[in-house]
């Protein structure tokens, strides 16, 4: 199994931490991982993107040329992200912010209202965790069954109070994905 | 019979390569006398700078490191930080310190690096044959200022007073200027070196002794004339004495008294 | 007990590996894309009682390394391409004085200020000495975060063993990428062998005076010293050449690639094999010494072709040509300017060459 994911969104949406958390959980589940953020001159604003691979085998190129799954968190990243999807791949859209579907009739497109779900849980900033749940559900690559244990080793103890809310977001993301498949 | 005067133990007893009347040899002697008096021969390291004193390893009977031109304070930083209880001497000429190595000296001084810089100011590039140095006086002849240093029309800049320049930096604790043109100044200079070395061994901040030194060969003067020239031209522009002393032990000013 | 697996950025893994290798002194200067490395050293060297200085320039940093190395400790600096250019003076002096040191280049695109994204345009500079005079540095090229850590750790050992500075040539992708890594066990710094040639502690070591210098103004003795160093290099060439091969035995086309380009080429080989193409990958791990002999042996096979894939206008391809020595066709493919070719582009280039 090798799952290649391309993630894009605007700076500050948690695209980088989504990618990092995804590979961290995958690593804890025993997979081989790579995470390559696009880094440009501008650190804030602009479009944040990352190539993310989790695999049972050694990872060759860490750059995702054709993604099994593309994650689009914002409207302005549709253009960059849609072409990254492999023929017949999956596109996960944050439908709270993306109002036009990518021009990819071959792809399976799943609409996840990440921000709305996150706000219902209590904090719009965990929209990225909702998306991670959906990504787990649709790919099955990283199970996230023991995410609470894993997040305890990811976050410093001062932030452990935030873990229950993150877990809720992940679970809600999985559910949202199930209901649109 | 008590020996009142002899050859310093830390100074190798060989004929030096310095020209007649050159100040480097006297300065080597002063450094080694102080090292012997302080009993530091086996705990001293000197950097041989690119310049006439590059052969320092032939003369000093203790460890040495020869860095790139002007990078002397950077190399001395690497040495002293790893050998905190050693006496590290950063020996530099005016081209090495005040031209190519300006960034290195300013930042080493500003960090308060705990070595001692011995800055030999002969107002000329000695080793390469008498080119203009940053400390060359206005009007002074050099092969690259053939009509005299001209800060105006020719845009050759002004002579740099290094002690004064460094004195504004927080890391500097002791900045003094001596000369080796006569016995009185030589004695005072030795005292300055001692003050600086002692401060270094106490672990105080950056210490430097600038030493006005003759270069008869490149000044195109006889040795006696060069002594006179230094007195009449350099000392009025580069005043002798302590330019800055914020050492914890308020020692008697080394430039004062006889 | 199985070892802890950590998720780390290449830059951080290099820093941690250096610390575990007993790096006593680190001197750096900010430049993207290696900033995390300098920050990691600042955060971790000082609390460990080791030496960290943010120097005023790369020139100063490498000369601090020179001074520190002269005292016999393990010393390191890191930068990215433009800063590595500034360090060439110091590297030449380190080689002239036969001092060990580790220099890490997290390379970016040039020439000039260029860009901040990954590139492999520093191959010539790295493998040909880079500064003035007759010398080489050992050059290690990691392909990912794990190897970046392993080779950095080993760089200190090799540098001490051979008294040659070791350059770890990574790039912005390896520096910025996160992968899982198992770190080497820390060395016991107190147990590292003393260096009899180092300055300091003369009385403790009961020895004569030591001088560390690269100067030799007598041509006859300088020639002798250079010949001796060359003989030493010959020994290193025999002992140290390292490479990795992937499906080269039956390959009609061998891709030669290092670092990031090798990772991309691995994917291209997999995709090509899936299409029934006989292509393989040869990955030099030591760029100096370069594995000429092994490539020469691979060139013996009738009809085999070589494609050097580099994120540059073609630099390593010259070494491949030297190795092949006219016995087989050699070509270059690569993107430059901070663009990274993907596996489809590399496979297309390989197919073009196969069909030519
Ligand atoms: C990078 C570099 N540039 C130039 C030189 C040539 N060079 C050797 S000594 C010297 C001048 C030294 O003058 P100074 O520091 O005043 O010392 P002095 O010889 O007067 O004692 C120069 C320019 C060099 N060795 N390296």
């Amino acid at each position: 199994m090798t799952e290649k994911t391309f993630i894009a969104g605007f700076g500050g949406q948690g695209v980088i931490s989504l990618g990092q958390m995804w590979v961290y959980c995958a690593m804890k589940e025993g997979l081989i991982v790579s995470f390559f953020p696009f880094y440009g001159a501008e650190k804030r604003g602009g479009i944040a993107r990352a190539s993310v691979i989790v695999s049972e085998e050694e990872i060759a190129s860490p750059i995702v040329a054709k993604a099994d799954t593309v994650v689009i968190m914002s409207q302005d990243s549709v253009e960059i992200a849609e072409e990254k999807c492999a023929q017949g791949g999956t596109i996960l859209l944050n439908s709270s912010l993306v109002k036009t579907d990518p021009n990819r009739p071959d792809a399976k497109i799943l609409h996840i209202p990440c921000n709305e779900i996150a706000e219902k849980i209590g904090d719009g900033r965990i929209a990225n965790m909702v998306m991670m749940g959906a990504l787990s559900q649709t790919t099955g690559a990283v199970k996230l069954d023991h995410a609470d244990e894993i997040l305890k080793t990811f976050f410093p103890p001062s932030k452990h109070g935030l873990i229950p809310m993150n877990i809720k977001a992940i679970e809600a993301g999985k559910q949202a994905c199930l209901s649109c498949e | 019979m008590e020996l009142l005067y002899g050859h310093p133990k830390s100074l190798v007893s060989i004929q030096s390569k310095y020209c007649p009347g050159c100040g480097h040899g006297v300065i080597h002697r002063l450094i080694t006398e102080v090292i012997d008096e302080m009993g530091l021969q086996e705990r001293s390291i000197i950097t041989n700078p690119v310049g006439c004193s590059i052969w320092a390893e032939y003369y000093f009977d203790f460890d040495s490191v020869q860095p790139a031109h002007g990078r002397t304070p950077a190399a001395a930083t690497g040495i002293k930080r790893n050998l905190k209880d050693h006496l590290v001497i950063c020996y530099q000429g005016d081209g090495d310190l005040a031209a190519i190595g300006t960034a290195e000296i300013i930042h080493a001084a500003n960090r308060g690096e705990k070595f001692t810089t011995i800055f030999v100011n002969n107002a000329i590039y000695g080793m390469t044959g008498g080119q203009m140095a940053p400390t060359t006086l206005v009007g002074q002849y050099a092969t690259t200022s053939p009509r005299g240093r001209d800060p105006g029309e020719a845009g050759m800049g002004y002579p740099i007073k290094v002690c004064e320049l460094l004195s504004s930096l927080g890391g500097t604790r002791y900045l003094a200027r001596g000369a080796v043109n006569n016995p009185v100044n030589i004695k005072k200079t030795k005292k300055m070196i001692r003050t600086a070395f002692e401060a270094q061994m106490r672990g105080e901040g950056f210490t430097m002794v600038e030493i006005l030194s003759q270069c008869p060969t490149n000044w195109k003067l006889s040795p006696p004339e060069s002594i006179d020239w230094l007195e009449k031209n350099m000392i009025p522009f580069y005043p002798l004495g302590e330019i800055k002393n914020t050492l914890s032990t308020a020692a008697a000013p080394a430039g004062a008294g006889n | 007990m199985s070892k802890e697996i950590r998720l780390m950025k290449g830059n951080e893994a290099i820093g941690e590996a250096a610390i575990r290798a007993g790096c006593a002194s680190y001197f750096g200067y900010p430049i993207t894309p290696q900033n995390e490395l300098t920050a990691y050293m600042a955060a971790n060297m000082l609390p460990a009682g080791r030496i960290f200085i943010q120097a005023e320039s790369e020139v100063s940093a490498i000369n601090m390394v020179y001074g520190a190395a002269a005292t016999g400790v393990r010393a390191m600096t890191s930068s990215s391409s433009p800063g590595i250019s500034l360090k060439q003076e110091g590297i030449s002096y380190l080689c002239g004085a036969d001092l060990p040191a580790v220099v890490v280049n997290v390379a970016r695109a040039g020439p000039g200020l260029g860009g901040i994204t990954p590139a492999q345009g520093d191959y010539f500079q790295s493998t040909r000495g880079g500064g003035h005079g007759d010398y080489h540095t050992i050059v290690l090229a990691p392909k990912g975060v794990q190897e970046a850590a392993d080779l950095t750790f080993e760089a200190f050992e090799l540098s001490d063993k051979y008294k040659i500075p070791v350059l770890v040539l990574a790039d912005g992708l390896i520096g910025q990428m996160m992968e899982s890594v198992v770190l080497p066990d820390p060395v016991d710094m107190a147990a590292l062998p003393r260096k009899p040639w180092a300055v300091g502690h003369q009385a403790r070591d009961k020895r004569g005076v030591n001088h560390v210098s690269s100067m030799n103004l007598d041509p006859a003795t300088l020639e002798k010293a250079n010949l001796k160093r060359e003989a030493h290099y010959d020994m290193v060439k025999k002992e140290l050449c390292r490479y990795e091969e992937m499906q080269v035995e039956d390959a009609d086309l061998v891709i030669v690639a290092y670092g990031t380009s090798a990772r991309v080429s691995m994917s291209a080989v997999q995709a090509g094999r899936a299409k029934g193409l006989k292509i393989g990958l040869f990955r030099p791990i030591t760029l100096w010494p370069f594995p000429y002999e092994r490539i020469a042996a691979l060139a013996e096979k009738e009809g085999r072709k070589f494609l050097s894939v580099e994120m540059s206008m073609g630099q390593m391809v010259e070494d491949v040509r030297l190795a092949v020595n006219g016995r087989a066709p050699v070509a270059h493919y690569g993107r430059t300017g901070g663009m990274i070719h993907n596996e489809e582009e590399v496979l297309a280039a390989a197919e073009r060459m196969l069909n030519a």
Side-chain angles (χ1 to χ4, degrees):
Chain A
M1 185 282 302
T2 298
E3 161 62 31
K4 298 184 183 184
T5 314
F6 182 84
I7 311 172
F10 58 71
Q13 260 190 316
V15 163
I16 299 301
S17 47
L18 162 54
Q20 277 182 10
M21 205 104 73
W22 175 252
V23 294
Y24 185 79
C25 292
M27 184 182 84
K28 291 287 176 181
E29 291 185 17
L31 298 175
I32 296 171
V33 302
S34 75
F35 164 81
F36 178 51
F38 173 88
Y39 62 98
E42 77 279 5
K43 289 252 170 196
R44 298 254 176 273
I47 294 170
R49 53 204 117 145
S51 285
V52 177
I53 302 174
V54 302
S55 178
E56 282 164 332
E57 290 126 51
E58 185 187 355
I59 294 168
S61 175
I63 296 151
V64 174
K66 284 285 173 267
D68 302 307
T69 310
V70 168
V71 171
I72 305 180
M73 291 299 288
S74 69
Q75 182 72 48
D76 54 1
S77 45
V78 173
E79 210 182 305
I80 287 175
E82 63 182 11
E83 62 174 39
K84 292 281 182 187
C85 190
Q87 193 67 23
T90 303
I91 299 179
L92 280 170
L93 277 187
N94 174 13
S95 57
S96 306
L97 299 181
V98 183
K99 296 302 173 197
T100 51
D101 268 10
N103 182 23
R104 286 297 300 264
D106 61 297
K108 177 166 123 188
I109 301 181
L110 300 173
H111 300 83
I112 315 289
C114 299
N115 290 65
E116 283 150 43
I117 295 173
E119 271 153 30
K120 245 184 247 158
I121 294 171
D123 192 338
R125 284 175 302 179
I126 53 173
N128 60 344
M129 290 295 97
V130 176
M131 188 54 104
M132 187 161 91
L135 185 60
S136 163
Q137 183 63 44
T138 187
T139 64
V142 184
K143 307 281 180 280
L144 300 181
D145 289 340
H146 306 287
D148 51 343
E149 287 305 310
I150 295 171
L151 293 189
K152 267 187 206 142
T153 61
F154 185 85
F155 290 119
S158 62
K159 291 200 173 158
H160 282 187
L162 300 171
I163 292 174
M165 201 160 71
N166 278 278
I167 298 296
K168 263 194 202 162
I170 290 169
E171 288 308 321
K174 284 185 178 179
Q175 283 309 317
C177 187
L178 258 180
S179 56
C180 54
E181 281 198 271
Chain B
M1 230 178 9
E2 195 192 347
L3 181 68
L4 292 177
Y5 196 74
H7 193 89
K9 227 172 97 235
S10 304
L11 191 63
V12 178
S13 194
I14 51 160
Q15 168 99 48
S16 92
K17 290 174 188 276
Y18 295 118
C19 308
C22 169
H24 276 302
V26 180
I27 295 165
H28 288 12
R29 176 163 184 124
L30 294 182
I31 290 172
T32 48
E33 280 180 6
V34 175
I35 286 176
D36 287 355
E37 286 164 19
M38 293 174 71
L40 289 174
Q41 181 178 7
E42 289 189 324
R43 257 207 288 165
S44 296
I45 298 161
I46 193 161
T47 58
N48 327 331
V50 173
C52 289
S53 43
I54 186 98
W55 282 285
E57 67 181 68
Y58 294 150
Y59 311 133
F60 294 109
D61 196 6
F62 44 85
D63 288 357
S64 77
V65 175
Q66 190 270 301
H69 193 21
R71 318 300 173 223
T72 332
T77 298
I79 299 165
K80 180 70 186 186
R81 291 267 186 140
N82 280 290
L83 295 170
K84 291 192 176 63
D85 61 347
H86 284 54
L87 180 79
V88 176
I89 305 161
C90 180
Y91 196 103
Q92 297 195 264
D94 43 55
D96 197 69
L97 181 143
I100 193 168
T102 321
E104 283 77 8
I105 192 65
I106 286 186
H107 290 278
N110 191 49
R111 288 191 303 265
E113 293 298 342
K114 297 182 175 88
F115 54 75
T116 300
T117 298
I118 299 293
F119 168 35
V120 181
N121 178 359
N122 57 12
I124 200 92
Y125 279 30
M127 189 185 216
T128 40
Q131 295 84 359
M132 187 181 77
T135 52
T136 296
L137 297 173
V138 170
Q140 187 186 335
Y141 164 83
T143 61
T144 50
S145 59
R147 292 185 211 151
R149 183 172 192 168
D150 171 15
E153 190 84 337
M156 292 175 172
Y158 293 88
I160 298 176
K161 293 179 180 175
V162 173
C163 282
E164 287 81 350
L165 184 74
L166 297 184
S167 64
S168 72
L169 303 175
T172 55
R173 302 299 297 276
Y174 183 76
L175 303 168
R177 188 182 285 120
V180 287
N181 64 324
N182 62 45
V184 174
N185 284 342
I186 289 173
K187 262 183 128 169
K188 288 182 186 168
T189 302
K190 180 175 171 185
K191 211 167 162 214
M192 291 169 177
I193 294 173
R194 172 118 195 180
T195 303
F197 284 3
E198 283 174 351
Q200 177 182 166
M201 295 315 283
R202 286 196 306 272
E204 301 212 24
F206 183 82
T207 54
M208 181 178 89
V209 182
E210 172 176 346
I211 304 170
L212 307 183
S213 173
Q214 308 77 253
C215 180
T217 301
N218 289 300
W219 292 354
K220 313 269 184 234
L221 298 172
S222 71
E225 285 168 343
S226 72
I227 282 167
D228 197 45
W229 191 88
L230 188 151
E231 181 83 37
K232 292 210 172 83
N233 297 278
M234 288 186 76
I235 293 178
F237 185 79
Y238 296 113
L240 302 185
E242 289 181 350
I243 310 299
K244 179 174 181 177
N245 182 349
T246 56
L247 297 175
S248 58
T249 327
N258 59 348
Chain C
M1 204 185 85
S2 73
K3 290 227 239 162
E4 188 198 357
I5 305 174
R6 289 166 68 172
L7 181 67
M8 290 182 103
K9 266 196 178 199
N11 282 334
E12 293 168 347
I14 289 169
E16 182 58 32
I19 289 170
R20 288 172 181 235
C23 176
S25 284
Y26 171 89
F27 310 102
Y29 187 82
I31 185 169
T32 309
Q34 65 87 56
N35 286 323
E36 296 83 0
L37 173 46
T38 309
Y40 192 91
M41 296 310 257
N44 293 285
M45 291 288 278
L46 294 173
R50 303 195 198 178
I51 293 156
F52 167 89
I53 299 178
Q54 177 178 327
E56 63 274 18
S57 69
E58 291 86 349
V59 176
S60 187
I62 189 73
N63 285 284
M64 289 176 182
V65 166
Y66 182 86
T71 71
V73 301
R74 291 187 162 180
M76 166 181 171
T77 183
S78 67
S79 189
S80 180
S81 309
I84 298 293
S85 290
L86 282 179
K87 290 188 196 294
Q88 294 305 327
E89 172 193 71
I91 295 171
S92 171
Y93 276 72
L94 284 163
C95 290
D98 300 311
L99 288 176
V102 173
V103 178
V104 176
N105 183 1
V106 183
R108 60 188 242 182
L113 192 56
I116 60 173
T117 47
Q120 296 182 319
D122 299 354
Y123 182 90
F124 283 151
Q125 184 195 58
S126 308
T127 58
R128 266 58 184 169
H132 61 283
D134 271 336
Y135 72 90
H136 285 285
T137 58
I138 292 169
V139 185
L140 306 176
K143 67 172 176 181
V145 177
Q146 180 66 58
E147 214 177 60
D150 292 342
L151 291 179
T152 300
F153 188 88
E154 202 186 345
F156 286 92
E157 312 269 328
L158 293 173
S159 187
D160 275 356
K161 176 175 174 192
Y162 291 116
K163 288 180 73 187
I164 299 175
V166 176
L167 185 73
V168 177
L169 182 60
D171 63 45
L173 181 134
I174 290 162
Q176 293 296 324
M177 170 169 66
M178 289 183 111
E179 290 188 312
S180 41
V181 52
V182 177
L183 291 157
D185 290 330
V187 302
D188 176 3
M189 287 168 79
L192 289 172
R194 291 230 175 107
K195 297 169 181 170
W197 45 263
V199 299
H201 302 298
Q202 194 189 343
R204 180 196 71 189
D205 296 347
K206 300 195 183 59
R207 58 161 173 83
V209 170
N210 280 344
H211 301 296
V212 172
S213 173
S214 67
M215 185 183 69
N216 213 327
L217 290 183
D218 171 42
T221 45
L222 181 52
E223 182 183 51
K224 254 195 211 139
N226 285 351
L227 287 170
K228 194 173 151 214
R229 196 174 296 112
E230 198 58 36
H232 184 57
Y233 288 157
D234 285 340
M235 185 187 82
V236 178
K237 287 179 195 169
K238 284 210 185 75
E239 292 183 1
L240 196 61
C241 269
R242 233 184 268 172
Y243 51 84
E244 184 185 42
E245 294 176 347
M246 175 182 165
Q247 295 184 285
V248 292
E249 302 77 27
D250 66 338
D252 295 327
L253 183 134
V254 173
I255 294 175
V256 185
Y258 68 94
T260 292
S261 282
R263 290 286 290 273
V264 176
S265 300
M266 271 171 77
S267 287
V269 168
Q270 288 165 357
R273 287 278 168 176
K275 287 170 89 173
L277 299 174
K278 286 189 179 168
I279 58 177
L281 172 67
F282 181 88
R283 178 174 76 92
I285 297 170
T286 53
L287 300 184
W288 194 92
F290 188 78
Y292 292 108
E293 284 182 18
R294 179 58 190 156
I295 293 179
L298 290 176
E300 295 296 335
K301 183 177 177 281
E302 265 306 301
R304 182 172 271 170
K305 297 174 179 178
F306 291 84
L307 180 65
S308 182
V309 175
E310 311 164 54
M311 281 133 62
S312 74
M313 296 303 295
Q315 301 191 7
M316 184 178 68
V317 64
E318 296 196 2
D319 277 331
V320 179
R321 283 206 185 97
L322 281 173
V324 168
N325 201 13
R327 279 167 297 184
V330 177
H332 162 259
Y333 172 76
R335 306 277 307 260
T336 166
M339 297 298 291
I340 310 174
H341 28 249
N342 63 36
E343 62 256 36
E344 293 172 359
E345 292 168 322
V346 173
L347 181 57
E351 287 189 84
R352 277 197 301 278
M353 193 176 185
L354 273 172
N355 298 332

